[in-house]
Structures are given as C-alpha cells and as structure tokens.
Amino acid sequence: VTEGELKYFIEVVMNYFEQITGSPATMGLPFIRKDEIVVMDFTGIIGISGARKGGIYFTAGKGLLSKLTKAILDVEDPDDQTLLDMVGELCNTIAGNARKNFGSGFMISVPMVVRGKPQDIQMKLKPPVFIIPVSWGGDQGHLVVGLE
Amino acid sequence: MVQHSLLDILWIITASALVFVMRAGFAMLEAGMVRSKNSINISVKVLTDLGVSLTAFWPLGFGLMFGLSQSGLFGTSLFFPKFDDQWLAVFFLFHAMFASTSATIVSGAVGERIKYSAYMMVTLISLAVIYPVVGHWVWGGSFEGQASGWLAKMGFIDFAGCTVVHSTGGWISLAVLLILGARIGRYNTDGSVNRITGSGLHISVFGTIILWFGWFGFNGGSTLAMNADVPAIILKTSLSGAAGMIVTLLVGWRIRKFPDVALVINGALAGLVGATASCAYISEWSAVIIGGVAGMVMLFAEWLLDKLQIDDAVTAIPVHLGCGIWGTLAVGIFGDPALLKTGLSRLDQIWVQCIGIGAGALWAFGFAFVCIWILNRFFPIRVKPEEEAQGLNVMEHQASTEIFDLYRTLEEQAKTGDLSLRAPVEPFTEVGQIATQYNKVIDNLQTNLVARSEYTNILSNVSDGLFLLDERGQIGPYYSASLESILETKSIAGRELYSVLSPLMTTLVMETLREYVNVLFNGSIDERTLSRLNPLAQVEIFVQQGAEMKSKHVQFLFKRILEGSKVVRLMVLLRDVSQQVELEKTMVAEKQERDSEMDLFYRIIHIDPSLLKEFLESLEDKLDSINQLLEGGQANPGETLNQIFRIAHSLKGESSVLDLKFITDAAHSFEDIVKNLQTKDPLDNSEFISLTFKLGELQETARQITTLLDKISSLQKHIKTPEGTLVSSSKDFSQRLAMLVSQMAGETGKKISFDSAGYVETLIPTSMNRTIQDMVIQLVRNAAVHGIETPEFRKKLEKSETGKIELRTYLENDALIISVADDGKGLEPEVLKYAAIKAGKATEAQTASWTATDLIRFIFAQGVSLAPNVTAHAGRGVGLALVRELSKSLNGKIAVKWKTGMFMNFIVTIPLPKNQL
C-alpha cells in the first residue's frame, strides 16, 4: 500500500462520520500490528485484489455503532443485525469510494460483516497491517488496512 | 284389410332400399365428423345396428309395434312373423329399415367414447322395446289399416316418424350421453368448447347427399302405397331440407364469420327431419317455413347442449331430437285439417301433438335412462381414458390405419426417445409419403445426434472452457463443462458474456475484452495479426469467497467462425493458467528476493553474524518500542514524538557503529519525519501516517535482515570463516567505536586518535551492556563531532593536529564509572548562549546570568545542537539528551568537567547492584 492510499482510506472514514452524522471523528495515532490484530464486537471486511491484494476492515464496539444508528436511523437500542448493517454500510462506503478512485485495476469485494472474531481475518490482510484508531462521540473503532 | 297393388309393393321395396341406403349415408356422415382414430368404430356401429335391429325386431319389436293392441299401449301378436303374406313381408321390410335408422341416430351422438359392446346393448334395448312401444302408440294397427295406438286414436299425427324415429333416437341419445359424459378435452374448465375437427368433412358431405336421397324413400314410402301424393311428399321434404340448409348456412355464416361445412350438412338434415311428420299435409310455403325454422331450432339446440356441456359428437340431438320435436309440432301448426282428417281444431291438434311429444319423451328418455344407468352400474359403458386417447379403431377392433401406425411410432418415440424406430410406410398412400419423409428426417436427426453426442462428450470432458460467442455478445447454448468451473458461474448458456464476466474482472480488463471482441468481429483485419496482439492472452479474474477475492489467471484465445467472408461467431477458448502464472510469479519473486538479499548481503557482510544478530534484536526491540509508543501514546502525541525521536537516534548511533549505512540512513530519514512533526503546531494525528508508514518500511528491512541472517547462520554451520576478517562480536565494541571515530574523522576532515585501552567491558553487567554501549556511542560521537577541532584550527591553537579521545571504565565506591574525555575545545559559553537565543530557548537577558550548571543543563536538553548542519552524525541535538535518558534508566549520574579550548570530560556514574560487584 502506498502512503497516499492509506491516507485516502482514512479520509473516507473520517468524511463518512462527518457527512453522515454531522459530527467529525478523531483519528488516533496510527500503528502497526504484526500478530494479534484488533477486533471489536462488529466488523465489516472488504477484500481487495488486482493491482493490490489484501484487505481492509473497520471494527467497532456496540457503543460506537449504537450511537451511529441513533444518528442515522434515529433508532434507540438497535438489535445486533442493525449494528451489523451499520458497519456494513460504512464498509460499503469505503468499498464504493475505493472502486471510484482506485482506477480500473482493482477488484473490490462486496463487504462481509461479522460479529465477534472473524475466521482467518489475518489471512486476508497483507503485512504491514496499519491500524488507525478512530474515536467518535467518545467511542472507539478501528480502521485496519493490510494491503500489499 | 286393404288390398295392395304390385306397384305399391314395388314402391315400398324401392323405398325400403332407399332407407337402407341411408345407412351408408349415416356411416359416411358420422365417420367424417369424428377423428380418424374412431372412424372405423363409428362406421361399423351403423352396420351393426342393422344386424341387431333385424334380429331384435323380427322376434319382438315388430310384434310389440304392430301386433294386436293391448289398450293402445303395445302389440301382443305378430312375434316371429312368417313372411308368407306378401304385404306383411313388404311392410316388415320397410319398418325394419325404419327401426334401425332410429338406432343409428344414437351411434353418432355417443361416438368416440362408448364401448362397442355397450352400444350393442343400447341398440338392443331401443329396438326390442323402446322404439316399438312408441311406434305402437302412433302407428299401431297401420298394418291392418285401423289405428289402434292410444296416441293415434287421440288424433296424433306423425307421418314418417318425427317422434317415432327421430325424437325417440334423440331421447335415447340424450339419456346415454348424460350417463356417458363428454369426450376428454372437449370442454375447458372455464366452460369454453374445444372444437374437435372431423377426419374428413368431404365424406360427411357425401353421406348427407346419400341421406337426402334416402329420405325420398323414408318420407315418400310412408304412404305405404304408390299414389299421387308421393312426388309432392318427396318435393316438399326436399324443399324443407333446402330451406333448412340455406337458413342455417346464412345465420351460421353471420355468427361464425365463415360458411361452416358442418352447418350446411346439419342445416339440410334439420330441414329434412323437420318435414318428416308433416310432409303429406302441408303446402309448399309451409314446407319452406318448417325447414327454415328447423335450421334455427338445430342451431339453438347445438348452442344449448354446449352450454350444458352435453357432448354430442355429430350434432345428432339438435338435428333429430330438436327438429323431431319441431316437426311434430309443425303438423298441428301447418297441417291442412282436410288432409289430416282427425276432426280436431288446429289448437286441439297442436295440443295432441304436444301430448305425443311429451309421452314419447317420458317413455324413450325415461326407460332408456333407467336401463342404461343400471347397465352402467354393472358394466361400465365408457372406454378407459387411455383407450379413448388411443382411439376406438384400434382399442376396440384392432383395426389400425396408416395414420394411426404413424402416430403410434411418433408417440413411442416421444415416450422412449428411441430414434432407431421408423414409421411403417404404406406404399401409394399419403400417410405413406408422410412416413417416408418423416423417416428421412429421423435418419438425419439420428446422424446429427450421434455427431452431437460426440461433441457433447468432448465438451463435457475437455479441461478448457470452450464456447461460441455471437455478435450481440451472447454465449451459445452449448459450452464445455469446464467453462462453468473456471468462471465458477452456473447456467451460462444464452447469457451475455460481459454480464457473466463483469463481476469477475476489473473494468480495465473488461473494456479491453469488449474492444478486442469488436475488432475480431470486424472481418477486415487479419486474424493472425490480431491473435498476435491478443491482449487477453493472460488476465486475472477474481471470485469473491467471503470477503476475500480469490484470484485466477486465465488465457482467452479467439477463433473466427466465418460464413462467406462475414464473421458470424467467435469460438472462444478459456484456459486456466493459474498454476503456470503462479510458478512464474514465484520464480520472479524469488529472483527479486535473491537480488535484494544479495544487495543486503553486501551491506552486512562485513559484520560478524552474532554481532549482527545482537544488533537486529536491538533494532526490532527499538521498532517495537516505537510502535508501542504510538499505540499507547494516544493521549499525548507531543511527548510520544520526543520519546520516539530518542529511540530513533539511538538506533542511528548503533547502526553507524556497525557501519550499517543503509539503516543509519533510514533511521536518519525517520528522524527527519519526527523532527518535522515536532515543528507542527497544532499537531494533527493524521500527520503521523508518514511516520507509521516509515516504521513499516523499517520493520520490513528488519524482517529481510532476519531472513538473510537465518540463511547465513545455517551456512556458517557448514563453513568456518577465517579469523579477523569480520567485524566480530561485542567484545570488540571498542574496535567498532574506533572504526566509527575514524570514519567520522574522515567525513569531517579531522585527525583523531581514539584510546579505548581503559575500556574494560567485563566490568559492565550484561544486563546494562546495550544501554551503556548506546550511551558510549553518543558520548564518543559527541566528542568526535563537537569536541575535536579541525587540524588547521588546532594548529593555530598550537595543539597537536591529531585530537585525542579517551574512553575508560572503572569501579569506584560500588559504582561503575564511564569516562569519555577529549582534548578538544571544551564548552564555549558564548557559543552556547548564542545557540540558545537563536533556538528561542532563552532570551539574551536570561543567558547573561547563566552559570556553569545552566550551561550543562542546556547541552543535555533535547533539540539543541551546535553542529552547523544536520548530518548522520550530528545536528539533531538529541545525542546528549539520549545519554541523559539512558543514564537515568540505570539510575546513573553524569558529571562534566571542561576547560574552554582545552578539554571536555563526561563522567557517568552508575550504581551497581551488590551482586554485580
């Protein structure tokens, strides 16, 4: 992955929060994980192939996604499926933007959403895996980028 | 008893013959109106009627009809009559023919579904009982010339049998039909009618002509004498028939929008039936009106039957029952009382006619219904559905027709798919010609199918994807089984290629494919040139599995299929070349890795592997520390940056001691980024991306070295390296320092002698070794860069051109002392103060009151450098700060002695744990 691409993904996530909810998210210090990757309650994964191979995922806790649901759908106390839909929607936005901006040499998968720890997530990511903490409304999520 | 002339006898015999010929008419009419599969069955029933009627009429029927009357209800004599009497014989002959006609009406109505045996039973019942009884009521006593039937006595007139023959036949038909039900497929669930086309209406037309001809005898003979009335009777009957035909045709034409052949036939018959009861008593105009109305009655009755879903195969009930009733009534309406001679008024006559109609209905329908209902209970009268489907010709009589044999072959083929079957060919028949042509088609089909099954075999076994593509971009109906497995997509036949491939390809490849296919369909460009330019000789396709995109490498090959010079299709071959491509890729990647490893190898070859390993551990530790600082330092990015910087600097020092220039450079550019971030105010976290990204690169370098080192270690087990050729392990730290000093001297144009004789490494506890080495590196670098002056400068100061740096370690009061001393310029307070003001660390006024302690504090602060330029060795202003941090981590203290222009001495005192002493 190039530095520019990495920045682009972060920007997409940041813009998502800003545009959808009106209140901006804050990015933490990006770091690298070699072995143990960061996975929270709900995760949306996008596979990327073609000119670059690997994966991107966004993972967040119930707190962040509940607030996001409230902000977007005005629903209190959403069920797990709605939270999964929320994280899926965010990943859709990432995938959609990636498709638009990364040119024709990329294949970007339809996002897959999982609850809990996804199987073989490590396999989909190519090192170095960059982890970007994102906090919004006092809750934490992580954008994880592992592309060649 | 009336005397009869020979002429009468001749006429009645002739009339009987004409009525007999009507049987041929009925056979043709009915056979033409049903489907060919039942034609033989229906014809033979007409003939059978004759046999049954004669055998039933002679012993029983005739006596019941014409014997001495019992209360006007039925006859009681003349059973098994002897034909000694000439007139009796003629009379019997004529009425036997009449009787069987009545039975034949039933045969047509119930056609195509009744069992032959059941039909014979029905005929027997009707001719032995039903018909003779009605006949007795109307014509009883006519043999003697004295009416004896109860209806006749009331004045009921039925000249030639509208009620006795036609209506009775019609009522029996209705009773049977109600029990029998409609033919399969005749009526839809919504009540609409399916027209069942007859096998040959031309035959029916001939039959009708014969029937009309027979009617001359039927009505004309009913005079039972050759008298002056006969010609008029025959003509009035014909007039009525003609009127019936014309009216039905015209009305039907208007309704059905075409001249329906069946209506011409049935219209004529309706008119003929209509005049049967009255033809001897009416005027010509009446005959026309009766015939016309009869046609309308027939049309109405036909519509009514379909409405009630009563399936009459040959429209017998509308013609015979409908018009029989009308004809009977017409006697009362149009009959000339002078000729009727009943003495009844017209109204009374009509009333009596109505009684006759009702009585006939009750008896004929009622008795027939009861008898046949009982019969059907014990002996079902209808054939099985499959027999009905196959046709009664074969099922009842095993009488096949060529068309049936052809049909059977077709059906067998449809059922079994056995293409080896051939239709029987009857020479010189139309069906035979059809069968011959059909067999030819099957021959070709079979040849093609054998060929096709071979293609199919190839298609299901070839390992490549193979398909045809048409100009619209659609995939052909046949393709190899492998195509589905290569594309991991099912049911591709007839689909558009691009829609199948678009989820599997990047848009770039997709566009290329589209353009190339377009060019291939353009016949003007040479195919060989095109195939050399094939941009799809190797492309990557992707299949999503979960969130992962599994990739495959495929090769597309195209071949034009021409018709004349036009490209009509492309044959496309799709081959999975993943293994081959992966192998190539692996080889290329391995070569690249080897090259970069060799490159790396040259960069590290001068260092002893164990020493390198030690460095590598330190490198990885440091990188991990930086990463942990990032991960854990979210709250205070500024402080995190400072800590990161010190680690990076120490890494740089360490690598420069080992002369690992590429790592020194990488660490230096890492420092650049950190430094740059430190100047940002406010500091945005997104700025850290470059830093983390660089960290990733360094990690990758470390990984590469580790891999290489593992390889070298395993190599070393086999090869012993000669002593002294490599920068060896940690006990030679002082040597490495000496190298670093001489390198720095070379780079800065200084002359430096490095004395490390007093550096006793054994005094240093292993646990502190790396920290102390880091500290020593920084102090020695500081001395070399900042302490020692250039030879020219030293010369001016009358110092030896060669500067001196001395490194010593010793123990003092349970502490380890590390001393780095140089004979350089010492501290220059004015220079330091100027630097502090310039860096904005202090004002001029503040520096004016600086003590020696302030000066020392200043040089140990981070971000202060006295070097004019930033180089790999100096200029960051972090070296002494790092020393301070490192010393602090070992609970050490630093003392500084100096004399401006003369010397500088850093003394670090580190307390040792008791057990280390």
Side-chain angles (χ1 to χ4, degrees):
Chain A
V1 68
T2 66
E3 196 180 322
E5 286 161 0
L6 189 58
K7 279 182 176 160
Y8 179 76
F9 287 125
I10 297 169
E11 206 176 290
V12 169
V13 174
M14 294 296 147
N15 283 347
Y16 181 84
F17 281 102
E18 172 105 52
Q19 283 169 8
I20 299 288
T21 71
S23 91
T26 350
M27 172 194 156
L29 299 183
F31 56 94
I32 296 174
R33 274 286 174 92
K34 280 185 198 163
D35 314 309
E36 185 81 0
I37 44 142
V38 182
V39 176
M40 299 173 83
D41 301 341
F42 299 91
T43 305
I45 311 160
I46 306 161
I48 295 185
S49 199
R52 284 206 201 302
K53 293 180 170 43
I56 298 177
Y57 70 89
F58 186 84
T59 184
K62 203 167 177 158
L64 185 139
L65 293 172
S66 297
K67 281 181 192 161
L68 196 59
T69 314
K70 169 80 182 131
I72 298 174
L73 302 175
D74 198 23
V75 169
E76 297 279 1
D77 200 14
D79 57 13
D80 282 4
Q81 188 52 48
T82 313
L83 299 178
L84 276 173
D85 290 347
M86 277 295 127
V87 80
E89 191 47 39
L90 173 55
C91 283
N92 258 327
T93 308
I94 301 175
N97 275 285
R99 274 189 206 107
K100 233 178 4 208
N101 288 280
F102 277 17
S104 46
F106 279 83
M107 283 300 284
I108 292 156
S109 82
V110 176
M112 187 180 87
V113 285
V114 275
R115 185 158 190 267
K117 189 167 167 53
Q119 293 286 309
D120 303 331
I121 197 167
Q122 191 78 43
M123 273 171 58
K124 295 172 183 77
L125 302 172
K126 303 281 180 190
V129 176
F130 292 99
I131 298 173
I132 298 99
V134 174
S135 59
W136 179 76
D139 285 291
Q140 276 270 309
H142 289 90
L143 172 68
V144 179
V145 181
L147 278 177
E148 277 180 339
Chain B
M1 175 91 54
V2 183
Q3 286 303 307
H4 296 278
S5 67
L6 271 178
L7 192 61
D8 291 341
I9 290 169
L10 181 62
W11 168 234
I12 299 307
I13 289 173
T14 308
S16 300
L18 287 170
V19 179
F20 178 83
V21 167
M22 284 177 87
R23 199 144 311 286
F26 273 119
M28 290 169 85
L29 171 74
E30 292 175 7
M33 280 188 166
V34 298
R35 289 163 289 189
S36 57
K37 62 182 178 179
N38 299 313
S39 57
I40 297 172
N41 169 263
I42 207 156
S43 315
V44 83
K45 280 195 299 191
V46 176
L47 180 61
T48 313
D49 286 339
L50 187 65
V52 175
S53 66
L54 277 175
T55 45
F57 200 62
W58 175 66
L60 188 62
F62 186 76
L64 279 176
M65 194 160 167
F66 296 106
L68 287 174
S69 185
Q70 176 65 52
S71 316
L73 292 175
F74 51 89
T76 54
S77 60
L78 292 177
F79 301 110
F80 301 98
K82 286 183 179 304
F83 304 128
D84 301 339
D85 180 274
Q86 192 184 44
W87 181 243
L88 178 68
V90 171
F91 190 84
F92 182 90
L93 174 65
F94 188 66
H95 278 286
M97 293 304 109
F98 259 58
S100 65
T101 301
S102 172
T104 300
I105 292 167
V106 183
S107 92
V110 301
E112 300 201 295
R113 73 213 104 148
I114 195 168
K115 277 183 188 160
Y116 182 68
S117 51
Y119 176 72
M120 285 173 72
M121 296 292 287
V122 172
T123 307
L124 195 65
I125 293 164
S126 55
L127 289 179
V129 186
I130 302 172
Y131 172 79
V133 170
V134 184
H136 184 80
W137 297 349
V138 182
W139 295 333
S142 58
F143 177 61
E144 292 87 5
Q146 180 65 51
S148 60
W150 67 275
L151 271 174
K153 282 181 181 168
M154 283 178 78
F156 179 82
I157 298 285
D158 183 3
F159 178 67
C162 261
T163 290
V164 180
V165 180
H166 296 286
S167 295
T168 301
W171 286 122
I172 297 168
S173 300
L174 186 63
V176 179
L177 282 184
L178 290 178
I179 292 161
L180 198 56
R183 287 169 290 175
I184 293 170
R186 171 67 167 163
Y187 299 107
N188 298 319
T189 46
D190 62 354
S192 58
V193 183
N194 291 317
R195 205 181 151 96
I196 294 177
T197 311
S199 63
L201 281 178
H202 57 297
I203 306 280
S204 299
V205 173
F206 294 150
T208 308
I209 294 168
I210 291 173
L211 278 173
W212 196 325
F213 176 62
W215 233 286
F216 296 170
F218 196 91
N219 286 7
S222 290
T223 51
L224 293 175
M226 184 64 224
N227 57 29
D229 299 334
V230 173
I233 287 171
I234 291 172
L235 277 169
K236 284 171 191 169
T237 302
S238 292
L239 258 183
S240 179
M245 180 174 77
I246 299 300
V247 169
T248 311
L249 172 64
L250 293 178
V251 174
W253 202 331
R254 175 121 186 115
I255 295 170
R256 299 187 186 174
K257 315 287 183 214
F258 66 98
D260 193 334
V261 177
L263 290 186
V264 179
I265 293 169
N266 290 328
L269 295 177
L272 293 167
V273 172
T276 296
S278 58
C279 53
Y281 319 111
I282 52 172
S283 68
E284 290 75 7
W285 273 110
S286 297
V288 171
I289 295 167
I290 290 169
V293 173
M296 300 299 292
V297 169
M298 188 278 297
L299 276 176
F300 172 75
E302 188 181 14
W303 170 83
L304 185 66
L305 282 187
D306 278 337
K307 206 79 195 143
L308 299 171
Q309 302 204 349
I310 297 169
D311 178 21
D312 179 342
V314 299
T315 326
I317 293 173
V319 169
H320 298 280
L321 177 59
C323 299
I325 291 170
W326 161 242
T328 308
L329 265 179
V331 174
I333 299 167
F334 297 98
D336 181 351
L339 296 172
L340 291 174
K341 295 177 191 160
T342 54
L344 296 171
S345 69
R346 188 166 294 283
L347 271 180
D348 285 344
Q349 187 66 49
I350 292 172
W351 172 239
V352 170
Q353 294 302 102
C354 287
I355 291 172
I357 292 165
L362 274 175
W363 167 248
F365 179 79
F367 190 81
F369 190 87
V370 171
C371 289
I372 293 157
W373 186 83
I374 293 168
L375 174 69
N376 190 45
R377 293 282 293 177
F378 300 100
F379 175 71
I381 60 172
R382 184 166 180 150
V383 296
K384 292 181 184 132
E386 56 272 24
E387 292 171 333
E388 191 178 333
Q390 292 277 350
L392 304 184
N393 292 356
V394 170
M395 300 321 291
E396 291 274 12
H397 314 291
Q398 299 196 356
S400 184
T401 58
E402 321 94 84
I403 191 88
F404 179 79
D405 290 342
L406 175 63
Y407 165 77
R408 231 197 348 215
T409 308
L410 300 187
E411 197 187 28
E412 186 66 15
Q413 253 167 6
K415 216 187 292 173
T416 61
D418 180 0
L419 292 178
S420 66
L421 294 178
R422 290 293 177 273
V425 178
E426 289 297 325
F428 316 118
T429 63
E430 276 180 45
V431 173
Q433 286 172 2
I434 294 171
T436 308
Q437 292 305 319
Y438 173 76
N439 288 346
K440 276 187 192 164
V441 171
I442 291 292
D443 284 345
N444 285 333
L445 185 65
Q446 198 176 12
T447 316
N448 283 338
L449 275 186
V450 170
R452 213 188 88 190
S453 90
E454 283 176 14
Y455 298 147
T456 315
N457 250 328
I458 294 171
L459 286 180
S460 46
N461 290 305
V462 70
S463 62
D464 294 329
L466 199 59
F467 62 96
L468 292 178
L469 187 67
D470 67 18
E471 205 165 2
R472 292 168 301 160
Q474 279 184 345
I475 298 168
Y478 303 103
Y479 53 81
S480 68
S482 301
L483 185 63
E484 290 192 353
S485 59
I486 292 174
L487 298 178
E488 301 195 19
T489 310
K490 297 251 171 255
S491 305
I492 304 171
R495 287 180 61 191
E496 216 214 348
L497 177 66
Y498 307 119
S499 77
V500 172
L501 291 181
S502 71
L504 308 174
M505 283 183 166
T506 63
T507 45
L508 186 69
V509 177
M510 201 66 207
E511 279 315 304
T512 313
L513 173 70
R514 220 183 268 269
E515 281 168 23
Y516 188 62
V517 166
N518 283 344
V519 177
L520 280 166
F521 271 110
N522 175 358
S524 64
I525 305 169
D526 176 51
E527 187 168 13
R528 267 186 304 175
T529 312
L530 278 178
S531 73
R532 272 200 297 275
L533 296 173
N534 182 6
L536 302 152
Q538 192 225 299
V539 292
E540 198 173 5
I541 61 170
F542 307 89
V543 180
Q544 183 166 357
Q545 282 183 348
E548 202 173 7
M549 302 297 285
K550 197 179 89 178
S551 118
K552 277 184 184 182
H553 294 271
V554 294
Q555 180 177 46
F556 281 92
L557 297 174
F558 301 87
K559 178 94 188 81
R560 281 172 173 163
I561 293 176
L562 302 172
E563 262 177 30
S565 60
K566 190 176 186 303
V567 184
V568 285
R569 282 193 176 76
L570 296 178
M571 184 172 81
V572 188
L573 186 134
L574 188 62
R575 182 171 290 163
D576 188 342
V577 290
S578 299
Q579 277 190 325
Q580 190 186 329
V581 172
E582 286 307 325
L583 197 67
E584 280 168 15
K585 269 185 156 177
T586 313
M587 282 169 69
V588 169
E590 274 177 2
K591 186 177 179 310
Q592 271 178 352
E593 200 179 310
R594 254 199 322 276
D595 288 351
S596 75
E597 265 182 3
M598 280 316 287
D599 186 51
L600 197 59
F601 183 70
Y602 291 131
R603 290 163 191 254
I604 62 172
I605 192 170
H606 60 288
I607 303 163
D608 179 83
S610 57
L611 183 59
L612 193 61
K613 199 164 176 215
E614 216 172 275
F615 167 73
L616 202 60
E617 278 166 16
S618 157
L619 172 65
E620 281 172 344
D621 281 354
K622 286 187 168 89
L623 295 178
D624 283 349
S625 306
I626 293 174
N627 202 27
Q628 277 159 20
L629 280 170
L630 284 170
E631 191 175 342
Q634 308 285 345
N636 191 351
E639 179 48 35
T640 306
L641 267 186
N642 289 343
Q643 290 178 17
I644 289 173
F645 193 89
R646 283 196 290 272
I647 297 173
H649 198 69
S650 133
L651 170 63
K652 188 167 87 173
E654 216 180 324
S655 63
S656 61
V657 169
L658 284 178
D659 195 20
L660 289 168
K661 194 165 179 312
F662 68 106
I663 294 182
T664 312
D665 289 347
H668 186 70
S669 67
F670 189 80
E671 281 181 347
D672 273 341
I673 296 168
V674 180
K675 198 81 198 163
N676 183 37
L677 288 182
Q678 283 174 326
T679 62
K680 304 273 176 167
D681 187 27
L683 179 57
D684 188 335
N685 284 353
S686 67
E687 310 273 2
F688 275 76
I689 296 169
S690 328
L691 182 78
T692 314
F693 196 77
K694 193 80 192 169
L695 179 67
E697 284 180 358
L698 275 166
Q699 278 184 342
E700 177 57 17
T701 308
R703 188 195 64 79
Q704 283 175 350
I705 300 174
T706 311
T707 315
L708 184 60
L709 207 57
D710 286 346
K711 287 186 184 171
I712 294 173
S713 305
S714 71
L715 190 72
Q716 270 192 333
K717 282 179 194 157
H718 304 289
I719 307 164
K720 219 169 159 60
T721 47
E723 289 288 329
T725 52
L726 295 172
V727 177
S728 52
S729 65
S730 60
K731 59 184 178 233
D732 296 318
F733 176 65
S734 47
Q735 277 183 21
R736 284 184 276 129
L737 272 179
M739 279 169 65
L740 175 67
V741 170
S742 85
Q743 190 190 343
M744 284 192 288
E747 282 172 19
T748 52
K750 294 176 183 175
K751 289 182 179 169
I752 305 171
S753 99
F754 179 61
D755 175 9
S756 61
Y759 183 74
V760 186
E761 202 164 295
T762 45
L763 293 178
I764 304 169
T766 324
S767 62
M768 296 179 178
N769 200 15
R770 185 173 296 160
T771 314
I772 288 173
Q773 283 184 1
D774 279 353
M775 212 157 25
V776 168
I777 291 166
Q778 296 300 332
L779 289 171
V780 171
R781 273 157 59 114
N782 188 62
V785 175
H786 299 295
I788 309 295
E789 312 90 333
T790 58
E792 299 79 36
F793 198 78
R794 288 180 69 91
K795 210 169 164 186
K796 275 189 201 155
L797 295 176
E798 297 177 348
K799 282 171 148 179
S800 151
E801 280 186 25
T802 305
K804 221 159 79 179
I805 298 174
E806 189 188 20
L807 168 68
R808 286 195 302 139
T809 49
Y810 53 92
L811 296 175
E812 194 179 271
N813 299 333
D814 297 348
L816 171 70
I817 312 293
I818 299 148
S819 158
V820 177
D822 67 77
D823 64 348
K825 54 189 169 200
L827 276 185
E828 295 170 305
E830 292 314 312
V831 175
L832 286 173
K833 285 175 184 174
Y834 176 73
I837 294 161
K838 199 179 159 200
K841 304 275 179 189
T843 62
E844 201 171 340
Q846 284 169 331
T847 56
S849 61
W850 269 12
T851 61
T853 317
D854 290 327
L855 287 172
I856 297 300
R857 192 174 292 133
F858 176 66
I859 62 168
F860 276 101
Q862 189 164 339
V864 177
S865 176
L866 300 178
N869 298 308
V870 177
T871 67
H873 300 296
R876 295 293 191 202
V878 79
L880 290 179
L882 180 61
V883 171
R884 187 190 67 196
E885 286 300 312
L886 293 170
S887 152
K888 209 165 142 190
S889 71
L890 299 174
N891 298 318
K893 283 190 174 133
I894 304 168
V896 185
K897 294 178 183 168
W898 86 90
K899 185 167 184 193
T900 308
M902 296 302 288
F903 74 92
M904 184 85 181
N905 187 11
F906 289 94
I907 301 150
V908 185
T909 309
I910 295 162
L912 291 176
K914 289 274 185 276
N915 58 355
Q916 294 289 341
L917 290 172

